[in-house]
């Protein structure tokens, strides 16, 4: 048996980064969730986090949704780029899409835990909407 002892981080911002989109299964996107304080509030769904979707190849932010009532993201663009790069390295190390918990203290990002994404949809399977055929042909023809 082993015991891990580590310093408690005085987290200013914490969150989760998925190295693939956990909703669509898209492996070309990273999804970052961020909220103030320790990440426990996000995990227990006590807060609504900011949600940022990043293109893996370009590093560009594709979409940002701020928590209700906010106009500015908890993470600066530089921190988003740094977190995205760290997450990609973790995925490369473990060889599969990862669910990573992180915190930021004094501008430094700390990776706290990484594990495989457990329920990742198959990106090759199109959703129901993609199988629909729309036509304006008269039904009597």
């Amino acid at each position: 048996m082993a015991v891990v002892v580590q310093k408690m981080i005085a987290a200013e911002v914490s969150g989760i980064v998925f190295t693939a989109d956990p909703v669509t299964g898209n492996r070309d996107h990273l999804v970052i969730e961020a909220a103030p304080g320790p990440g426990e509030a996000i995990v227990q769904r006590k807060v609504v986090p900011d949600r940022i979707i990043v293109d893996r190849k370009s590093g560009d932010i594709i979409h940002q949704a701020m928590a209700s009532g906010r106009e500015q993201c908890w993470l600066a663009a530089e921190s988003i780029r740094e977190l995205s790069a760290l997450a990609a390295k973790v995925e490369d190390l473990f060889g599969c899409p990862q669910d990573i918990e992180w915190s930021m203290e004094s501008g430094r990002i700390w990776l706290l835990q990484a594990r495989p994404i457990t329920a990742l949809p198959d990106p090759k399977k199109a959703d129901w909407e993609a199988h629909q055929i729309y036509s304006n042909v008269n039904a009597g023809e």
Side-chain angles (χ1 to χ4, degrees):
M1 179 185 279
V3 176
V4 176
V5 178
Q6 67 185 57
K7 174 189 169 225
M8 180 71 168
I9 296 169
E12 293 138 6
V13 180
S14 296
I16 301 164
V17 58
F18 299 96
T19 61
D21 190 318
V23 176
T24 66
N26 188 334
R27 270 76 166 169
D28 293 329
H29 293 167
L30 292 163
V31 178
I32 300 170
E33 294 186 342
E40 181 179 350
I42 294 176
V43 174
Q44 294 179 354
R45 303 200 188 279
K46 292 182 178 179
V47 298
V48 177
D50 292 347
R51 185 175 177 89
I52 304 139
I53 300 176
V54 179
D55 182 273
R56 288 181 69 114
K57 292 180 179 102
S58 68
D60 293 337
I61 296 170
I62 297 170
H63 178 74
Q64 277 186 306
M66 289 355 122
S68 57
R70 298 192 61 246
E71 294 182 16
Q72 187 174 356
C73 184
W74 287 109
L75 290 174
E78 177 66 27
S79 296
I80 292 169
R81 280 191 293 278
E82 182 181 354
L83 184 57
S84 297
L86 286 169
K89 287 179 184 178
V90 170
E91 181 181 281
D92 289 345
L93 180 66
F94 288 109
C96 65
Q98 296 290 302
D99 169 351
I100 304 165
E101 293 180 24
W102 59 272
S103 287
M104 181 179 283
E105 176 187 45
S106 301
R108 183 174 181 188
I109 296 172
W110 295 86
L111 299 183
L112 307 174
Q113 177 177 312
R115 60 186 168 269
I117 298 176
T118 53
L120 192 60
D122 184 351
K124 294 177 184 166
K125 289 185 179 177
D127 63 356
W128 182 83
E129 194 68 25
H131 293 287
Q132 301 306 304
I133 298 173
Y134 297 97
S135 172
N136 63 357
V137 175
N138 186 331
E141 290 182 4

